[in-house]
Amino acid sequence: MSKFLVAGVTQIETIVRVDKIPVSYAPITSANESIFTAMGGDAYNESLALEWLGDDVTFMSIVGRNQDLGMINPPDRKITLSTEYIIPQMKETPTEVVLYDKNRKQQIFEDIKDLRENVYDMSMVAPIAEACDMMVLANANFCRPFAKEAAARNKPIAVNIRSYKPEKEIYNTDFLEPAKVLYFSDDTLAEDPYDFIDRISGTYGTEIIILGQGSEGLILFDKTHNLRVHYNTVKTNEVVNTIGAGNALFACFLHYYMETGDSVNAIKNALLFASYKIGYMGTSNGFMTTDQLEQWRNLIWGIKKSEFESNS
């Protein structure tokens, strides 16, 4: 079990299943089991997954002043996130609407409200930062001071950058420079993925980079072990909804990487965790247990004491 401090965005998400993106105009479309609304957000989802896997998680976030914090922990969920450090200080909670179709295409509409103007009370952070094993951060404005806290205490940082845009790289420097682990999605990537990984690692000295490639799988880069390899997706479930799969994959990777230091073992478990997740509606539903992960992993890849030893 590792101790994670997770800081990032909490938002209200509405997920809508459509026949095809782009959506054709119709005055009204009626379809059962096609609209789902719940709490979400990258850091929120990652906190849930880490807690589910047995880690000790302190989640720090900001929401709207009138937000019902009871929505953070719906009664039908098996795990509970502490709301002690979720501060209701914004005018409204950020909101996102996601349209998705059977071909895994997504169209996202987001309204971050006054998120950029808000700051987090860092006086609460110092003792928790000192006690944690890793900080997992979103690249939100209010998370910048967390990166400085981690660097001051020599704590490893993992950052979910999500979609990469060249014009935003300067904005993200505060996160890119100190991060030990970076996660990107290739949704908006215009350059060759291997060239991109080499450039990011060469520029910032990043030890671990995960580049998600949707249905094509991902690329794992591990500087210490001179590793840069593509992994295909695996199938453990029928695809219902891929939203939140990247958050699940990132969290599971961090759980096992912090436990073993073996990035290959961690990414294989993460691929399984994400593949099961996409069989469920909602970004915070459908997590594999550690026992299920072990069973599937042994079934697909066999039992190996160490991935690095077995590949040497």
Side-chain angles (χ1 to χ4, degrees):
M1 180 183 77
S2 299
K3 289 186 176 181
F4 289 95
L5 188 162
V6 183
V9 179
T10 302
Q11 62 191 17
I12 299 172
E13 292 180 338
T14 297
I15 300 169
V16 184
R17 187 183 77 243
V18 297
D19 289 334
K20 189 177 181 182
I21 293 176
V23 178
S24 301
Y25 171 75
I28 185 170
T29 300
S30 179
N32 290 338
E33 304 297 325
S34 64
I35 301 175
F36 179 90
T37 299
M39 299 304 292
D42 292 352
Y44 172 82
N45 297 332
E46 288 154 9
S47 295
L48 281 177
L50 289 168
E51 190 83 35
W52 175 267
L53 289 167
D55 292 305
D56 183 344
V57 180
T58 300
F59 179 43
M60 296 182 158
S61 188
I62 50 178
V63 294
R65 287 192 286 264
N66 297 318
Q67 178 63 51
D68 175 11
L69 293 182
M71 288 184 67
I72 300 291
N73 293 300
D76 59 342
R77 202 175 61 209
K78 294 180 180 179
I79 52 172
T80 300
L81 283 180
S82 170
T83 59
E84 183 178 358
Y85 299 101
I86 301 176
I87 312 302
Q89 66 183 44
M90 297 176 64
K91 292 177 181 177
E92 294 181 77
T93 301
T95 304
E96 185 173 88
V97 177
V98 184
L99 310 184
Y100 76 99
D101 66 13
K102 61 184 178 182
N103 296 316
R104 294 193 175 192
K105 285 187 177 180
Q106 299 178 11
Q107 189 168 359
I108 299 174
F109 303 83
E110 67 175 12
D111 181 352
I112 64 172
K113 308 300 183 183
D114 58 329
L115 182 66
R116 288 197 180 98
E117 291 74 50
N118 269 260
V119 296
Y120 195 89
D121 180 3
M122 297 300 292
S123 66
M124 300 184 290
V125 177
I128 298 168
E130 187 62 40
C132 78
D133 298 312
M134 171 177 270
M135 281 198 196
V136 184
L137 306 179
N139 59 334
N141 234 4
F142 77 89
C143 292
R144 294 181 192 276
F146 285 87
K148 293 179 181 178
E149 282 281 349
R153 289 171 168 74
N154 200 29
K155 299 291 183 178
I157 302 171
V159 186
N160 183 348
I161 300 292
R162 208 162 118 176
S163 296
Y164 173 82
K165 297 179 181 178
E167 66 273 17
K168 296 287 188 181
E169 187 168 327
I170 294 177
Y171 167 86
N172 284 312
T173 301
D174 289 345
F175 302 103
L176 295 169
E177 285 185 343
K180 178 174 183 175
V181 184
L182 288 171
Y183 175 83
F184 299 92
S185 167
D186 75 343
D187 291 344
T188 57
L189 195 64
E191 60 189 296
D192 176 83
Y194 292 99
D195 290 344
F196 169 74
I197 288 172
D198 289 345
R199 180 174 64 78
I200 292 293
S201 177
T203 303
Y204 302 105
T206 317
E207 289 187 33
I208 301 285
I209 298 174
I210 303 167
L211 179 64
Q213 299 179 301
S215 61
E216 300 300 313
L218 56 81
I219 298 172
L220 170 68
F221 167 84
D222 185 326
K223 182 179 180 180
T224 303
H225 292 279
N226 193 27
L227 182 72
R228 194 185 63 165
V229 62
H230 171 84
Y231 288 95
N232 292 325
T233 56
V234 294
K235 183 175 181 180
T236 60
N237 228 336
E238 295 299 324
V239 178
V240 172
N241 171 26
T242 60
I243 300 161
N247 304 153
L249 184 143
F250 188 48
C252 186
F253 174 85
L254 295 177
H255 167 80
Y256 283 101
Y257 182 68
M258 291 299 288
E259 184 178 272
T260 67
D262 187 334
S263 62
V264 175
N265 172 66
I267 205 66
K268 288 181 176 181
N269 282 326
L271 283 163
L272 289 167
F273 198 68
S275 75
Y276 191 76
K277 169 77 191 63
I278 62 178
Y280 291 82
M281 176 63 79
T283 59
S284 58
N285 297 321
F287 297 136
M288 261 188 181
T289 66
T290 52
D291 286 344
Q292 287 174 313
L293 277 166
E294 185 177 357
Q295 289 166 4
W296 274 98
R297 191 192 174 292
N298 293 343
L299 178 66
I300 295 176
W301 286 293
I303 302 171
K304 295 175 182 177
K305 183 178 179 182
S306 167
E307 293 291 349
F308 295 126
E309 288 176 4
S310 64
N311 293 329
S312 60

